[in-house]
Amino acid sequence: MLNRSTGISRTFRRRDYVKITIFGFALTALWQSMHAIILPLRILDFVAESQKNTYLGLMTLTGLLLAVVVQPIAGAISDRSSFKWGRRRPYILLGSIVALLLIPGVGYVGSYAAIFAVYCLLQASTNTAQGPYQAFIPEMVPEGKRGLASGVKGLLEILGGAVLIYLSGILMGQYSADTGSLWLWVVLAVLAIVLLGAMVATVVSVKEPSVTGDRQRTSLLSTLHQTLKDIRTNHDFIWFLVSRMLVFMAFTTIQQFALYFLRDIIGVTNPAEATARFSVLAVAAMLVVVWPAGYFSDRIGRKPITIAAGLLGALGIAVIFFSQNYGTILWAAVIIGIAMGVFNSTNWALATDLVAKGEEARYLAIANMATAGGAALARLIGPVIDFFNGYSPGLGYKVMLLVCLVYFIAGSTLVAKIKRRS
């Protein structure tokens, strides 16, 4: 039964948690594999070894800045849509179909410029789907269960990243542009199948609440203007965005440049497989804590758990900084994984607390601007790494780790600035 004033179901069944979050499994699987394994190896086919961090950072920075623009626009447009079969699912369908057409381009193209273009278009298409998709939790889940729903969302996203990044790492460990290109195509095919399956499951199984009343139709320019106005006037939301952005800058920096760090500093023989193990351990740790974190955030509050998570992430970075042993670094991956699992769950629940009624997709797209924006800004460290490595071998990676430490500490403590009790 629906509450007529809000459109939110009074009864929310266990399987409904999976229905409204399964699409996140596929999106995370796609982008974790792309950013951590596929793109770092593909870029080595096109650019000089000494400039690999710079070119990787430039590509992913541009694509993620594009995501920052596309996602809130798509979310806002869906807020004002009134299709017979839902406001959100038509955009999930459209964005996914375009992404499925673009994924083979990652393997087909033969230059840095071409893969750069494919990557940016893939970002635009998936974010066209993701902006509307994120409205499902505040729109369909009763308020007292949103922490749990955010935990399930985080659980599936982490699971998607874990399974596919491990598979990608193992298969891409045999990749070379000359003789091992088949493995790249296998990985891309698997990612496409997962995305297709999650999209079909979402479009078919999710029953969106009916829209009551007339939806205001606005231009893209008006939508952008209103978005900027909302950010400027909502101080709690500003602190939330800055905090989230900094923590994701820390995590993304480690994730993005892990393959090169393990290759250049630790000296592992198979960087792709070593990176996959690092990521899988982090993800396994996330899986253990993400659901309990969401559950307890409904009872003891979002902010204290979020702050503790950020400080724990800083500890994990410190372990990596003071060790050059791969085994010890794997323990650091577990610490960072626990931190990010707790942070993902409780921080997203905090976001759902701060959204305005009737503007769920736009507000959560703005919230995810912090995720994409932090991920984008994290790439700026690429040229810095190459610069300091040129000055002294390995120095660039030490600078990278110190910056991550600052990001984690600053991001976690800024949550205390949010005045709303959570």
Side-chain angles (χ1 to χ4, degrees):
M1 180 180 292
L2 293 177
N3 183 326
R4 292 181 181 179
S5 64
T6 64
I8 293 175
S9 175
R10 292 176 182 171
T11 59
F12 203 75
R13 296 164 296 183
R14 291 181 180 178
R15 61 178 176 272
D16 293 331
Y17 288 107
V18 176
K19 288 179 180 179
I20 66 171
T21 55
I22 190 63
F23 192 65
F25 175 97
L27 289 177
T28 306
L30 173 65
W31 287 118
Q32 290 277 5
S33 297
M34 283 287 178
H35 286 148
I37 305 293
I38 298 171
L39 291 177
L41 290 174
R42 279 293 276 156
I43 282 176
L44 291 175
D45 297 336
F46 308 125
V47 306
E49 171 75 22
S50 62
Q51 295 295 309
K52 60 183 183 294
N53 292 291
T54 299
Y55 278 98
L56 178 61
L58 175 63
M59 177 192 294
T60 52
L61 169 65
T62 305
L64 288 165
L65 288 176
L66 183 62
V68 168
V69 175
V70 171
Q71 191 174 129
I73 292 176
I77 292 173
S78 75
D79 283 335
R80 288 155 176 78
S81 298
S82 55
F83 298 105
K84 289 184 178 180
W85 51 291
R87 289 187 287 166
R88 318 300 182 187
R89 287 178 293 166
Y91 300 98
I92 294 172
L93 176 64
L94 174 64
S96 299
I97 290 174
V98 175
L100 289 168
L101 295 174
L102 289 167
I103 287 173
V106 175
Y108 180 75
V109 298
S111 69
Y112 178 79
I115 199 171
F116 189 106
V118 169
Y119 172 79
C120 289
L121 291 171
L122 190 57
Q123 280 283 8
S125 62
T126 57
N127 280 278
T128 297
Q130 187 172 357
Y133 150 74
Q134 289 174 153
F136 282 158
I137 290 179
E139 193 169 68
M140 301 176 67
V141 181
E143 188 171 347
K145 296 183 178 180
R146 289 177 187 169
L148 178 58
S150 298
V152 174
K153 175 180 179 291
L155 181 67
L156 287 174
E157 289 175 350
I158 293 165
L159 187 60
V163 174
L164 270 298
I165 202 172
Y166 183 74
L167 179 63
S168 298
I170 296 298
L171 296 179
M172 290 296 288
Q174 306 174 69
Y175 167 77
S176 70
D178 298 327
T179 60
S181 60
L182 172 64
W183 299 109
L184 171 62
W185 287 106
V186 171
V187 171
L188 293 176
V190 171
L191 292 174
I193 291 169
V194 170
L195 179 62
L196 176 62
M199 179 270 287
V200 171
T202 300
V203 170
V204 171
S205 68
V206 173
K207 306 302 179 185
E208 297 184 51
S210 58
V211 180
T212 57
D214 295 331
R215 305 299 300 177
Q216 180 183 1
R217 298 186 183 276
T218 58
S219 66
L220 290 182
L221 184 61
S222 297
T223 296
L224 288 173
H225 175 75
Q226 186 62 43
T227 297
L228 293 174
K229 181 180 178 181
D230 289 344
I231 294 175
R232 287 197 306 269
T233 57
N234 190 334
H235 293 166
D236 276 353
F237 209 61
I238 290 174
W239 288 120
F240 166 82
L241 292 174
V242 175
S243 168
R244 184 174 178 87
M245 180 184 70
L246 287 169
V247 171
F248 273 93
M249 285 174 70
F251 182 66
T252 303
T253 298
I254 290 296
Q255 181 186 58
Q256 183 65 84
F257 298 100
L259 188 145
Y260 294 156
F261 173 80
L262 294 173
R263 178 175 177 261
D264 297 346
I265 302 300
I266 308 304
V268 297
T269 56
N270 190 329
E273 185 175 346
T275 303
R277 287 177 181 171
F278 179 92
S279 299
V280 166
L281 279 176
V283 168
M286 290 182 193
L287 286 171
V288 172
V289 300
V290 66
W291 183 86
Y295 176 83
F296 284 111
S297 76
D298 284 334
R299 284 152 178 77
I300 65 176
R302 324 290 194 201
K303 288 192 291 186
I305 299 177
T306 300
I307 292 170
L311 296 177
L312 185 62
L315 174 63
I317 297 296
V319 172
I320 296 176
F321 184 86
F322 289 109
S323 175
Q324 291 192 347
N325 177 270
Y326 181 60
T328 304
I329 289 172
L330 291 180
W331 280 108
V334 173
I335 296 173
I336 294 172
I338 293 172
M340 289 307 299
V342 172
F343 184 87
N344 274 334
S345 186
T346 57
N347 193 256
W348 193 254
L350 178 59
T352 64
D353 293 338
L354 298 173
V355 301
K357 297 295 183 184
E359 302 288 341
E360 294 89 354
R362 181 164 64 91
Y363 263 79
L364 288 179
I366 296 171
N368 217 38
M369 284 172 61
T371 309
L377 292 173
R379 270 66 182 191
L380 293 175
I381 200 73
V384 176
I385 295 171
D386 286 337
F387 172 80
F388 282 103
N389 280 345
Y391 181 78
S392 176
L395 179 60
Y397 294 109
K398 289 186 178 295
V399 172
M400 176 191 77
L401 292 170
L402 286 173
V403 168
C404 289
L405 189 72
V406 172
Y407 288 161
F408 264 126
I409 294 173
S412 61
T413 55
L414 283 177
V415 174
K417 289 284 197 177
I418 298 174
K419 301 300 183 184
R420 175 170 175 166
R421 295 185 64 185
S422 295

